[in-house]
Amino acid sequence: MDTYDLVVAGAGPAGLTLAWKASEQGVRVLLFDRKKNAGHVSYTTSASYIDLKRWALPDEIAHPITTIHFSSPGAAIRSSTRACVLRRRQLLAELEKRCLGNGVEIRYGTYARDIDVRDEAIRNVQLSDKSAVDGAVFADCSGLGNVFNRALPVNTSPATRALGYEHVVPLNSEPEGIDLYMGGVLDGGYGWLFPVDDERAIVGVGTLVPEHFPRIRQMLDLFLKVPRIAERVENNPLESYGGVFQSGMPLKRFHRGNLVIVGDVAFQGNPAAGEGIRYVMDSAEMASRAVTAAVKAQDMSHLGAYSQDWVDKYYSLYRTNYKVQRFLVWLTRQTRLLDFMVRMGNKASDSTVETLVRGEASGAFVLAKLSKLLYKPFT
Ligand SMILES: Cc1cc2nc3c(=O)[nH]c(=O)nc-3n(C[C@H](O)[C@H](O)[C@H](O)COP(=O)(O)OP(=O)(O)OC[C@H]3O[C@@H](n4cnc5c(N)ncnc54)[C@H](O)[C@@H]3O)c2cc1C
């Protein structure tokens, strides 16, 4: 039996950040993932408001974004912003480098065959490489995989799944401008255009309506014909990807026994903005502090600090955002109201638009801004 302080399932942004931050504090970590290598991901889109400096990440892993063009079928807003499009494979490679530098053992092409749970705790895991591993703490960072969460359930809430599909295409214009589009031809869905460098962009569509999942490719074809999108990119796909983003009503508890759950498995991607990476990395750092304390004190009650920190920082915002997500699904089908709201957004300042797009608007913020805008006469 190989013994570790922390055994992590899933080497996505959550698992790699948790492994990196915990190993920095001397925690001995095993990280396993069924994918072939760090960058073996099924989609590359990652528009983000991440602060690269906070994570000491190099500028090269991101492409800068300075404008957002948000449109509905009959209206548009243009706003300045300071965001980026992360090169997801480079980000994962960078996080992996830090883990390896701290002595984290990473096993790719590996999954859990059998998980032994007794007395409200995970005792050991039989891995597909025929090894058996024991850990003081286990972390489920496997996104939709639910590797440990299935064996010792922490998140049992119903998930809302958004299906996304995207092409990498040649870019003709505005290498620092992203486009977001809602409703219209996408009928209950949304679309995006994110430049990844000066010559290529990702064009994608997403929907939260399960009946539309089978027609996601047709939705993308329709989106590529929207005049502004057709002008900005060539309909000549160089690569194509699909993926599922999972969210839900926010949880209040992310630990049970000697298990913590982090990232998409724990609904920690922002439900309104669909932005995951920045939030799951922050959540993973919170988890790493509690895991380190639990390992050092050999006392699992320290894991509760992670749940508490997350709830204090995000619960109320995410509750509002989950309701906003439901409202947006409905709004995408009310074309006149959607156009009206986008036109109204034209009166808002860049910072208000940015707060909304970042998914950081509280209920009070939205009400205050709405009432102010409703009083402004339309020109
Ligand atoms: C199409 C799409 C577009 C998106 N766009 C953006 C965006 O623009 N900006 C943004 O910030 N976020 C975006 N997101 C969300 C973001 O990708 C997620 O929130 C983030 O990747 C979650 O990180 P994670 O580490 O929790 O999970 P994941 O990234 O899903 O990583 C989970 C890891 O677990 C592994 N795994 C799964 N099952 C098993 C198993 N049984 N055994 C072993 N390993 C397993 C997987 O191989 C994977 O490496 C998007 C998501 C999708 C689907």
Side-chain angles (χ1 to χ4, degrees), residues 120-328:
E120 282 285 296
I122 298 179
R123 299 295 164 185
N124 61 65
V125 183
Q126 309 283 327
L127 294 176
S128 56
D129 60 9
K130 299 204 168 69
S131 63
V133 295
D134 189 4
V137 180
F138 290 80
D140 192 342
C141 302
S142 65
L144 272 79
N146 272 286
V147 173
F148 294 136
N149 186 56
R150 231 187 275 275
L152 184 62
V154 184
N155 182 2
T156 53
S157 301
T160 306
R161 292 185 168 180
L163 177 67
Y165 185 67
E166 60 196 28
H167 293 325
V168 179
V169 287
L171 175 69
N172 297 328
S173 63
E174 299 179 49
E176 295 195 355
I178 64 176
D179 260 82
L180 299 172
Y181 181 92
M182 270 173 79
V185 291
L186 299 185
D187 179 25
Y190 49 94
W192 58 84
L193 187 164
F194 300 154
V196 285
D197 54 35
D198 290 353
E199 284 160 13
R200 291 171 313 145
I202 281 165
V203 180
V205 291
T207 179
L208 285 135
V209 184
E211 303 86 72
H212 287 174
F213 287 7
R215 53 179 291 270
I216 194 86
R217 284 163 197 248
Q218 284 127 278
M219 284 172 72
L220 182 52
D221 287 339
L222 289 169
F223 183 49
L224 279 155
K225 292 191 179 106
V226 168
R228 192 177 146 79
I229 303 302
E231 257 170 48
R232 287 198 63 197
V233 295
E234 305 290 325
N235 188 352
N236 174 22
L238 308 169
E239 291 173 61
S240 302
Y241 309 99
V244 174
F245 174 67
Q246 169 171 285
S247 62
M249 194 64 176
L251 312 179
K252 284 189 166 169
R253 198 176 163 89
F254 302 93
H255 70 287
R256 179 172 170 189
N258 62 347
L259 173 65
V260 291
I261 58 169
V262 189
D264 276 4
V265 64
F267 299 163
Q268 286 169 337
N270 188 301
E275 188 187 346
I277 292 179
R278 173 167 65 107
Y279 290 96
V280 306
M281 286 177 65
D282 192 41
S283 306
E285 192 177 38
M286 286 180 192
S288 77
R289 289 194 291 269
V291 167
T292 305
V295 165
K296 302 243 147 122
Q298 295 191 15
D299 177 357
M300 294 305 125
S301 68
H302 286 278
L303 299 179
Y306 160 46
S307 297
Q308 193 57 52
D309 286 352
W310 198 94
V311 167
D312 290 350
K313 186 163 180 184
Y314 288 122
Y315 183 78
S316 142
L317 177 70
Y318 269 52
R319 224 177 106 87
T320 307
N321 278 358
Y322 185 63
K323 290 180 191 157
V324 169
Q325 183 199 76
R326 307 321 305 159
F327 171 70
L328 289 177

